[in-house]
């Protein structure tokens, strides 16, 4: 094996998560699975065919590069691809030819899409993104008339697949009023288009957090990312799910089991084992001094491979069914772990960086608690070139 670590993806866990999402949204709402950021670090080229096998037929990406990958690897001709963010105007003809859906949120892109459609003789499949308070991308209400006129004057050039917006922090209760304002603004702007005779196939505003916390945002389609992979957008969304699950049950009888299953397991192996005398510093600088004679192991995964430097002296990994601590600074290419409690560790032993070993688990959310990294951040930093395989 040429790589110092590898990733396994659980098909059964992915199926469990998709079933959970589908129960939340119901049968009438279309699920668009978000696979941006290399499918949240899981590996877009491995995940998309697997998702298709499990019934997913709509994929949301950030940019044209990701869209090209999905178009190239998807197995089903009816599977749709939707670009939510970046696509250069010169790439719009390609997107239109490939039946790729894309967000329009500025007049420049809308005019460029019109020109491309006219040259090709095929309609652009657009989602009109409206600004509701995120102040990132989207047409404001003041632009609605111009957008409407352009679309009405060129009915052969535009297929309005959706009207959408994005919620600004639905995972936090502190944003509740802001989210409610966004929902109201969205419906106000949607009405402008509908009153003008523009009726999108899909109205969509819900992300993973919206799906869990704001059922009124499910509408015709939802865009779900982090939940798909078995992680909660925040501890608050998990608590909200627990609360809803326990409603109506007698006190003390609300046994709760996490309905999500982690799809990813990230593993490596012990590169070397050695002993260090009391009082000696371990690794670079003076971040860790051996309090007594101790045994350490080196694992060939560091911050260059996604194991953040912020996990220095606080990160944990699993080895021989025990959780052991990282000592000293996380290096570019390796970490050092304290194996004084498991002295039988040998070179070549499996090390779990994310996932389960025996009855113990190291989760990405645990990493977040240790280092203040979000689930999203750590996952998407996993290198593209790590080998990824599917297991049952």
């Amino acid at each position: 094996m040429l790589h110092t670590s590898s990733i396994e993806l659980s098909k059964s866990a992915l199926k469990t998560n998709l079933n959970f999402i589908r129960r939340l949204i119901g049968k009438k709402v279309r699920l668009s699975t978000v696979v941006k950021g290399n499918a949240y670090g899981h590996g877009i080229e491995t995940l998309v065919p697997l998702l298709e096998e499990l019934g997913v037929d709509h994929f949301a990406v950030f940019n044209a590069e990701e869209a090209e990958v999905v178009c190239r690897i998807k197995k089903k001709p009816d599977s749709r691809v939707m670009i939510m963010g970046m696509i250069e105007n010169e790439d719009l003809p390609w997107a239109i030819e490939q039946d790729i859906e894309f967000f329009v949120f500025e007049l420049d892109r809308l005019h460029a899409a019109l020109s491309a459609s006219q040259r090709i003789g095929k309609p652009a499949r657009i989602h009109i993104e409206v600004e509701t308070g995120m102040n990132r991308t989207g047409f404001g209400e003041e632009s609605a008339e111009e957008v409407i006129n352009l679309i009405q004057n060129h009915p052969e050039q535009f297929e309005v697949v959706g009207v959408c917006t994005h919620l600004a922090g639905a995972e936090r209760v502190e944003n509740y009023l802001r989210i409610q304002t966004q929902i109201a603004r969205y419906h106000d702007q949607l009405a402008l288009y509908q009153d003008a005779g523009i009726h999108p196939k899909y109205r969509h505003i819900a992300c993973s957090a919206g799906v869990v916390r704001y059922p009124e945002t499910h509408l015709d389609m939802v865009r779900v990312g982090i939940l798909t992979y078995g992680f909660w957008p925040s501890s608050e969304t998990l608590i909200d799910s627990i609360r809803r699950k326990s409603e109506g049950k007698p006190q003390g009888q609300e046994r709760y089991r996490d309905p999500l299953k982690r799809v990813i397991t990230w593993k490596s192996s012990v590169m070397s084992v050695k002993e260090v005398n009391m009082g000696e510093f371990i690794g670079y600088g003076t971040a860790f001094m051996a309090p007594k004679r101790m045994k350490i192991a080196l694992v060939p995964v560091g911050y260059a491979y996604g194991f953040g430097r912020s996990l220095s002296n606080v990160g944990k990994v699993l080895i021989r069914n025990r959780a052991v601590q990282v000592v000293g600074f996380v290096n570019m290419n390796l970490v050092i772990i304290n194996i004084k409690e498991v002295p039988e560790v040998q070179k070549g032993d499996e090390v779990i960086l994310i996932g389960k070993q025996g009855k113990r688990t190291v989760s990405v959310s645990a990493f977040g608690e240790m280092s203040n990294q979000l689930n999203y951040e750590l996952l998407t930093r996993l290198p593209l070139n790590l080998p990824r395989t599917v297991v049952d």
Side-chain angles (χ1 to χ4, degrees):
M1 174 169 158
L2 299 177
H3 294 269
T4 60
S5 67
S6 62
I7 288 172
E8 291 179 349
L9 305 171
S10 168
K11 179 179 178 179
S12 60
L14 187 60
K15 183 177 181 180
T16 295
N17 300 338
L18 290 171
N19 288 340
F20 170 71
I21 294 164
R22 286 167 175 147
R23 285 196 300 272
L24 284 179
I25 65 177
K27 295 180 179 180
K28 295 182 179 180
V29 178
R30 188 167 192 181
L31 171 61
S32 179
T33 298
V34 182
V35 292
K36 65 180 182 178
N38 198 30
Y40 289 64
H42 289 64
I44 191 170
E45 296 198 23
T46 307
L47 251 292
V48 167
L50 185 58
L51 286 162
E52 284 187 305
E53 190 178 334
L54 296 174
V56 174
D57 61 2
H58 199 279
F59 298 95
V61 299
F62 175 73
N63 58 30
E65 179 187 9
E66 293 171 337
E68 189 279 328
V69 173
V70 178
C71 287
R72 174 165 45 83
I73 64 175
K74 69 185 181 75
K75 305 297 185 183
K76 298 181 179 180
D78 292 336
S79 289
R80 295 298 182 190
V81 183
M82 178 176 72
I83 299 173
M84 300 182 292
M86 181 62 183
I87 179 171
E88 297 284 359
N89 287 348
E90 55 263 35
D91 292 326
L92 290 173
W94 163 80
I96 294 169
E97 287 279 14
Q98 296 295 318
D99 286 326
I100 293 171
E101 303 166 13
F102 53 90
F103 282 21
V104 290
F105 41 74
E106 58 182 10
L107 290 169
D108 176 66
R109 179 176 292 183
L110 193 59
H111 283 287
L114 171 61
S115 297
S117 172
Q118 289 171 329
R119 290 199 307 274
I120 294 169
K122 187 175 182 179
R125 309 187 79 238
I126 63 171
H127 292 253
I128 302 169
E129 184 179 8
V130 295
E131 170 57 59
T132 57
M134 180 109 175
N135 291 309
R136 194 173 65 173
T137 53
F139 290 112
E141 190 170 339
E142 70 283 355
S143 300
E145 183 177 357
E146 188 171 355
V147 174
I148 289 168
N149 288 338
L150 196 64
I151 292 171
Q152 285 180 331
N153 291 335
H154 301 89
E156 301 300 317
Q157 269 62 61
F158 296 110
E159 179 185 345
V160 181
V161 182
V163 173
C164 59
T165 196
H166 190 61
L167 301 177
E171 69 277 4
R172 299 291 183 192
V173 68
E174 65 197 35
N175 295 321
Y176 176 80
L177 291 178
R178 186 180 181 187
I179 298 303
Q180 291 300 322
T181 299
Q182 281 195 278
I183 294 170
R185 288 175 177 172
Y186 170 79
H187 286 290
D188 287 344
Q189 290 209 55
L190 175 65
L192 296 176
Y193 291 92
Q194 291 177 325
D195 290 346
I198 298 173
H199 298 283
K201 184 176 182 180
Y202 300 113
R203 303 161 301 151
H204 55 106
I205 61 180
C207 54
S208 288
V211 164
V212 175
R213 305 197 70 185
Y214 298 94
E216 69 272 27
T217 66
H218 293 178
L219 304 180
D220 304 309
M221 185 168 77
V222 295
R223 310 181 304 267
V224 180
I226 199 75
L227 285 177
T228 306
Y229 308 100
F231 300 98
W232 296 92
S234 68
S235 57
E236 291 179 24
T237 52
L238 170 59
I239 292 167
D240 200 50
S241 179
I242 294 173
R243 178 184 59 78
R244 293 188 182 190
K245 184 89 172 180
S246 63
E247 281 179 353
K249 293 185 179 180
Q251 191 75 21
Q253 295 185 19
E254 320 89 344
R255 287 181 61 94
Y256 179 81
R257 296 178 65 182
D258 191 341
L260 299 178
K261 302 295 182 184
R262 311 301 180 256
V263 173
I264 194 170
T265 297
W266 183 22
K267 59 175 62 176
S268 185
S269 61
V270 171
M271 184 176 94
S272 180
V273 175
K274 67 180 298 181
E275 293 190 355
V276 178
N277 290 326
M278 181 179 69
E280 293 287 340
F281 291 108
I282 295 175
Y284 286 114
T286 57
F288 186 87
M289 177 190 286
K292 58 183 178 181
R293 185 170 175 80
M294 60 186 290
K295 196 172 184 180
I296 60 173
L298 276 64
V299 183
V301 174
Y303 58 78
Y305 307 127
F307 198 95
R309 190 173 172 84
S310 57
L311 294 168
S312 300
N313 275 333
V314 293
K316 286 184 170 60
V317 301
L318 303 178
I319 187 166
R320 295 205 175 213
N321 300 322
R322 299 285 293 273
V324 300
Q325 187 168 337
V326 172
V327 293
F329 287 121
V330 173
N331 299 179
M332 180 184 292
N333 304 108
L334 61 82
V335 295
I336 303 168
I337 57 175
N338 180 359
I339 56 170
K340 66 180 180 181
E341 302 297 331
V342 275
E344 66 273 20
V345 166
Q346 299 176 1
K347 178 179 179 179
D349 279 358
E350 179 185 76
V351 178
I352 299 296
L353 307 165
I354 298 173
K356 291 186 67 174
Q357 191 182 64
K359 295 182 179 180
R360 294 183 178 271
T361 300
V362 175
S363 68
V364 177
S365 57
F367 274 48
E369 290 162 7
M370 291 185 279
S371 69
N372 294 319
Q373 290 188 60
L374 295 170
N375 290 340
Y376 306 83
E377 183 180 353
L378 189 142
L379 287 168
T380 55
R381 285 182 175 181
L382 294 175
L384 299 175
N385 64 345
L386 287 184
R388 290 161 167 87
T389 56
V390 176
V391 297
D392 289 337

